[in-house]
Amino acid sequence: MTTLLALLLIPLAGAALAGLSGHVDRTFPRVIALVAMVAGFVVSLALLAQVAGAPVTVNRPWIPSFGVSFSLYVDGLSAILIVLTGFIGILAVLISWNEIKERVAAFHVWMLLLQTGILLVFMARDLMLFYFGWELMLVPMFFLIGVWGHEDKLYSAIKFFLFTFVGSVFMLLALLYVYYQHLLQTGVLTFDLAELLKTRLTATEQWWVFLGLFVGFAVKVPLFPFHTWLPDAHTQAPTAGSLILAALLLKTGVYGLMRIAMPLTPQGTEMFTPLVIGLAVFGIFYGAIAAFPQRDFKRLVAYSSISHLGFVILGLFVGNASGYQGAVLQMVNHGLATGALFLVAGMLAERTHTRSFEMFGGLWRQTPVMGAFLLFFAFASLGIPGTGNFIGELYVIGGAFTFNPWLGVVAAFGVLFAAIYSLRVFLATMHGVESTAFKRLADTSTRENLALGSLAVALVLIGFVPSVVTGHLFLQPDDTVPAKGRDRATIASKSGVAPALPPALPGHAVPNGAHGSETSMNNQAHPAPEAR
Amino acid sequence: MEHYARLIPDFILSIGATVILLLGPLRDSKPLRDFLRWFALILLGASAVTLVVVNRGVDSRDLLFAFDWLTSAPLGVLFSLVFIGCIAWTVLAGSVPEDNAGEWYSTLLFVAAGMVVLARSANLMAVFLGLELFSIALYILIAFFYQRRAALRAGAMYLVLAGFASSFLLFGMALVYAHYGTVDIGEIRTAAVGKPMPYVAAIGFGLFLVGVAFKLAVVPFHMWTPEVYEASPGVVTGLIASASKGAMLAAFIPFLFLRATHWQILWVFAALSMIGGNLLGLREFRVKRILAYSSIAHIGYVLTGYLAGDAVSVGARFLPGITGVSAVFFYVVAYALAILGAFGVLSLLDRENDVTLRDLRGIGRRSPLLAFCMLVFVWSLASLPPTAGFFGKIYLFAAAVNQGYLWLPLLGLVGSAIGIYYYLRIIVHLFMMPSDASDIKVKSTLLQEWVLLATAVATIVAGTFPETVLSLMAWR
């Protein structure tokens, strides 16, 4: 409990200090932000160790007349994403060290506030609190793009804001509807997800509620028809903004689908599954094909994000444990690999003041270390064995294959497409005729090597020992995965981790009928013969 | 005698205002100006304290005097305290006028006196008296810097139109009196509720509504708003938007029984204001006028809550603890914080009038603190969490939904979504546009900065702990 509060308070306090210290010296805010991020990361690691036993929770009344409570709940899935958030936070500060020269204090204040918002989203069990966190992410990102962005920053910032905001209104309406139905049925005022899961909704209601939530979350993911803000926002954001956007903000959308939309409306999810899978698969190819001809480095990577996130959503909606694990793995891997590509793009832009492939070429001779990193991350992005992306995609495709063999076959071709654009990134910058525009570009500094190196190590680590991520899933009988109970129980026992039982969290024990009977929770609580 | 004691707060305000008016011309010196400012604050504080003391625990039906003019109803007292707070805020945050300081503070105190009467009125006469008392003071404040033609024009415009509206109000009251034979609001309510309303009374109340709608600047009686908002001194504009409308609403709450007979009119007022105000704001590029249009829309939201009335919803309802009235109270507080703050920031610019969005450019860079405060205020006006405006709107709409109004909240939602656009524009210009040719300067004293920062913090606190504000409603 103290860990959770500490995690939220560290960036907040950091933001306050960084804001105040801006008057004194321009380096102070950077140092303070770095210290806060590192401290947050350390605490998040402690949290990861803590959740192995039981989910960490906080539950305090906040606005009782509205049924809002300050209710946090962190299990393995949240903890993984929180650790990722802490890690990316450090890199974001490191990478902005030289890039941001104007309004340094304000930049770091917004970044730390953004960190708070993201952490709140990954922790919140109370849906109103979740919504607060959701909106809290919106403002800082709007400012990061709008103030410190590149040439088209205003357009992109406003587009980002309006897309996400309109989505969040639909989400809020859907949440309020569930809250209201729950109130009608039980007479209890609450926004606690564990309680709301008991709400009985008819199929039609679930259809609408899922639609509302889906629009809110799919904009953030972004799934195919809602994606148009992403290339602009990514391209125009400062490097740290692109990094956080890719590595963390997109994940909040997926997390919302996993944690809120799918468990709240199992039938709605089922009804929408064909459509969502269709959009996801289309997105995989659309993103890849749109990425290939881009002239702008960051824009290419942005489109590749759409493709990668298509895999994540596919894995999530095929509804089996393999797909689910793959989705979570891909969330982390995409954060690391795509984040790294944005970092390289930022480093190049910092040196050459352009992001255009036409200006690059043959840079390997001048910047061999950066070239090596770029080569590695391009390979990681296309899913070479030995990196986490390979394992993640394998899991997702396996899950898709179980769902429908043809779907698996089609999805597997998506990987092929990834190879084309990933290789182009490397070839167009490092190989080819040496660009005459740039002479003697500085190779990566120690600070940059540290950032890229740590990302590479993390990717390789996941590639060889995927259980650093997956080992934290299925620890507790969580009520989030629409998976078949038997399937999941098998995996839990195979992975060698003894399924731990959480202390009886009020309301958490039994989710609603159609859903609960199939979750592994019941299997673990009352061991079914076939599960052991 | 005990009854006279309950008039002490009003005596403090009106006698104090007169004293300040007489002290003002004594000498034109800074010490005197500062003294007058703190003296005015002390008077406001004393009046607020006595207001609480003398009305505490008094049966609200025990009316004052043979005339029965003022009630001790907790809601009226609570509203009065809010308005005294608004005036005190204005005294603190407004720049000290170079000359005529005495008149400035004295007029502000008269505004407070009028509002305090209006908010506690139990009687049609008291409604009119209170309304005129603070309206006349407002005419003076609008045209306070009479050297500016625009200010004079706006003052005269407000005078003529408000006088016109008052005549409607008065005629309506006369018709109501003609039918019911009493001016006591309680007696009228008893006579009116549950019976079909005869034409004389219905027309009377209709005219009364026109007067109220003008004061609230409801579409289609909103035409004066942009002009007056633009030309008034910034802090006075804030007062017109917050306390003046709030006082009218407070006086309007005893007339909740009108919802039975005149709900169609109120419904149309609310719908037109929510949509119209937000649409009108889209094309505007002068900041004060944008906020003027937004204030029109905000009154539409408030009327939506007003329509929900004071009935406690029974059974499992959305937000059962919230009645329309408590939602309106919360919103008046939340809106007052945001709009006072926003106009407070604008009043610090060295050019008060015709400030365009373009002029805001670069302020985020030059005075980050004030720009941040403005961000919070605009955020609250846009009703986004974690500011007070978010729960304000949730409460209003929830109360309306509980009473079976579904279309109004939906229209309100559409209106808010439209409104986001111009709020966003203010923020974009404040922080993100390159400051090219803007020559506008920000002049602020340390006190003003602290007051604005405190207001911004209060906006966020009221948005994260809305129950603290609502718990005031339980005061007896």
Side-chain angles (χ1 to χ4, degrees), chain A residues 3-137:
Chain A
T3 29
L4 296 188
L5 295 183
L7 267 176
L8 287 177
L9 288 178
I10 288 171
L12 268 187
L17 284 178
L20 292 174
S21 70
H23 293 294
V24 189
D25 189 271
R26 296 178 71 182
T27 328
F28 271 31
R30 294 198 175 104
V31 176
I32 290 172
L34 187 63
V35 170
M37 293 292 192
V38 171
F41 182 56
V42 171
V43 177
S44 73
L45 286 178
L47 180 68
L48 191 67
Q50 213 177 339
V51 295
V56 186
T57 59
V58 174
N59 202 341
R60 291 278 157 78
W62 178 22
I63 312 175
S65 69
F66 197 20
V68 182
S69 57
F70 186 79
S71 166
L72 306 176
Y73 175 93
V74 173
D75 60 1
L77 171 65
S78 315
I80 295 165
L81 293 169
I82 288 169
V83 171
L84 180 70
T85 311
F87 182 47
I88 296 293
I90 300 176
L91 299 186
V93 176
L94 278 180
I95 210 66
S96 320
W97 208 270
N98 284 344
E99 187 192 346
I100 302 301
K101 295 193 173 65
E102 281 184 10
R103 294 197 247 177
V104 179
F107 179 84
H108 290 93
V109 169
W110 286 127
M111 205 144 77
L112 288 162
L113 285 180
L114 179 61
Q115 194 80 358
T116 317
I118 298 171
L119 288 170
L120 196 55
V121 163
F122 285 148
M123 288 179 188
R125 184 102 179 135
D126 185 280
L127 293 184
M128 196 41 88
L129 194 64
F130 178 87
Y131 182 74
F132 264 58
W134 192 263
E135 299 289 356
L136 191 59
M137 297 190 302

Side-chain angles (χ1 to χ4, degrees), chain A residues 62-66 102-103 110 128 131-132 135 139 142-143 146-147 153-154 158 161-162 165 169 172-173 176 179-180 183-184 189, chain B residues 316-320 364-365 372 375 379 384-386 390-391 394-395 413 417 420 424 427-428 431-433 463-467 470:
Chain A
W62 178 22
I63 312 175
S65 69
F66 197 20
E102 281 184 10
R103 294 197 247 177
W110 286 127
M128 196 41 88
Y131 182 74
F132 264 58
E135 299 289 356
V139 193
F142 175 62
F143 273 88
V147 179
K153 56 187 180 183
L154 278 182
I158 293 175
F161 186 93
L162 290 181
F165 177 73
V169 170
L172 183 64
L173 283 179
L176 286 176
Y179 163 85
Y180 186 46
L183 185 61
L184 286 182
L189 287 162
Chain B
R317 290 315 238 162
F318 200 61
L319 270 175
R365 187 178 301 246
F372 172 75
L375 170 71
W379 217 246
L384 296 171
F390 175 67
F391 276 109
I394 290 238
Y395 286 155
L413 209 62
I420 293 286
L424 212 55
I427 292 170
V428 163
F431 289 95
M432 299 174 190
M433 290 286 199
T464 33
F465 300 98
E467 287 204 325
L470 277 179

Side-chain angles (χ1 to χ4, degrees), chain B residues 43-301:
Chain B
L43 287 172
L44 285 167
S47 134
V49 170
T50 47
L51 199 61
V52 173
V53 171
V54 298
N55 287 308
R56 180 141 210 167
V58 177
D59 184 1
S60 61
R61 281 161 306 176
D62 178 14
L63 300 170
L64 268 185
F65 294 135
F67 313 120
D68 301 344
W69 276 29
L70 298 177
T71 84
S72 300
L75 191 64
V77 176
L78 211 53
F79 265 117
S80 308
L81 291 177
V82 173
F83 304 142
I84 290 180
C86 290
I87 303 289
W89 192 95
T90 314
V91 171
L92 266 179
S95 308
V96 186
E98 283 295 312
D99 38 36
N100 307 335
E103 288 165 34
W104 175 259
Y105 295 125
S106 155
T107 322
L108 278 173
L109 284 193
F110 274 121
V111 173
M115 286 171 176
V116 169
V117 170
L118 186 60
R120 294 179 299 150
S121 53
N123 175 312
L124 293 179
M125 291 297 100
V127 170
F128 192 70
L129 179 78
L131 188 65
E132 288 304 298
L133 188 52
F134 87 76
S135 295
I136 291 173
L138 273 183
Y139 307 145
I140 301 172
L141 285 176
I142 290 170
F144 197 83
F145 299 102
Y146 55 87
Q147 297 87 344
R148 284 204 311 261
R149 282 180 62 102
L152 266 187
R153 206 172 94 90
M157 181 174 172
Y158 192 54
L159 171 70
V160 172
L161 287 178
F164 194 55
S166 291
S167 62
F168 274 86
L169 193 82
L170 206 53
F171 190 49
M173 286 178 182
L175 288 180
V176 169
Y177 176 69
H179 179 73
Y180 292 108
T182 173
V183 284
D184 185 282
I185 298 171
E187 286 175 22
I188 295 175
R189 177 170 46 220
T190 326
V193 170
K195 296 185 201 70
M197 195 176 270
Y199 282 119
V200 181
I203 293 172
F205 278 124
L207 294 174
F208 177 76
L209 279 183
V210 169
V212 173
F214 174 85
K215 273 285 165 193
L216 292 179
V218 163
V219 176
F221 302 101
H222 65 284
M223 309 289 186
W224 57 274
T225 330
E227 201 96 1
V228 171
Y229 276 41
E230 178 70 66
S232 313
V235 283
V236 175
T237 317
L239 264 190
I240 298 175
S242 60
S244 154
K245 290 186 180 180
M248 192 70 246
L249 278 169
F252 195 40
I253 282 176
F255 293 94
L256 277 172
F257 61 91
L258 285 183
R259 289 177 306 130
T261 48
H262 291 70
W263 70 269
Q264 297 95 335
I265 300 181
L266 290 169
W267 198 98
V268 170
F269 279 169
L272 282 180
S273 302
M274 287 189 293
I275 297 296
N278 281 317
L279 283 180
L280 286 168
L282 288 182
R283 300 286 307 269
E284 189 54 63
F285 56 92
R286 283 162 293 192
V287 185
K288 279 170 128 182
R289 287 180 193 240
I290 292 181
L291 292 181
Y293 289 124
S294 107
S295 85
I296 294 171
H298 280 277
I299 284 300
Y301 308 137

Side-chain angles (χ1 to χ4, degrees), chain A residues 268-475:
Chain A
T269 309
E270 215 160 283
M271 283 186 270
F272 270 95
T273 295
L275 176 70
V276 176
I277 286 183
L279 291 176
V281 172
F282 188 83
I284 292 174
F285 290 99
Y286 171 84
I289 292 170
F292 178 69
Q294 297 299 327
R295 292 173 180 177
D296 186 313
F297 194 145
K298 287 175 92 175
R299 219 176 164 79
L300 188 151
V301 183
Y303 274 106
S304 82
S305 282
I306 299 172
S307 179
H308 285 300
L309 266 296
F311 270 110
V312 175
I313 297 297
L314 176 65
L316 198 55
F317 274 80
V318 291
N320 50 44
S322 169
Y324 176 73
Q325 284 175 307
V328 176
L329 271 171
Q330 274 307 79
M331 278 163 80
V332 178
N333 294 329
H334 168 260
L336 300 173
T338 307
L341 288 177
F342 277 123
L343 292 193
V344 175
M347 290 170 192
L348 273 175
E350 204 179 312
R351 288 165 172 76
T352 63
H353 305 287
T354 179
R355 302 184 304 269
S356 166
F357 285 127
E358 287 157 16
M359 304 290 287
F360 298 143
L363 296 180
W364 181 282
R365 279 168 54 99
Q366 297 178 33
T367 57
V369 179
M370 194 195 290
F373 273 122
L374 182 58
L375 181 65
F376 174 79
F377 290 118
F379 275 150
S381 175
L382 67 82
I384 207 97
T387 61
N389 302 57
F390 172 71
I391 309 286
E393 278 165 8
L394 199 64
Y395 268 118
V396 171
I397 293 169
F401 200 84
T402 320
F403 181 79
N404 180 333
W406 286 108
L407 186 65
V409 171
V410 172
F413 272 97
V415 182
L416 188 68
F417 279 69
I420 301 173
Y421 65 74
S422 299
L423 288 177
R424 175 160 183 261
V425 171
F426 179 72
L427 292 176
T429 45
M430 295 298 162
H431 278 191
V433 183
E434 187 167 352
S435 163
T436 51
F438 315 113
K439 293 273 182 285
R440 280 197 246 154
L441 292 180
D443 207 345
T444 44
S445 66
T446 319
R447 176 176 55 83
E448 290 165 334
N449 282 335
L450 194 66
L452 293 175
S454 57
L455 284 169
V457 168
L459 275 172
V460 172
L461 181 67
I462 298 174
F464 283 97
V465 196
S467 65
V468 293
V469 174
T470 52
H472 298 283
L473 303 174
F474 310 127
L475 282 184

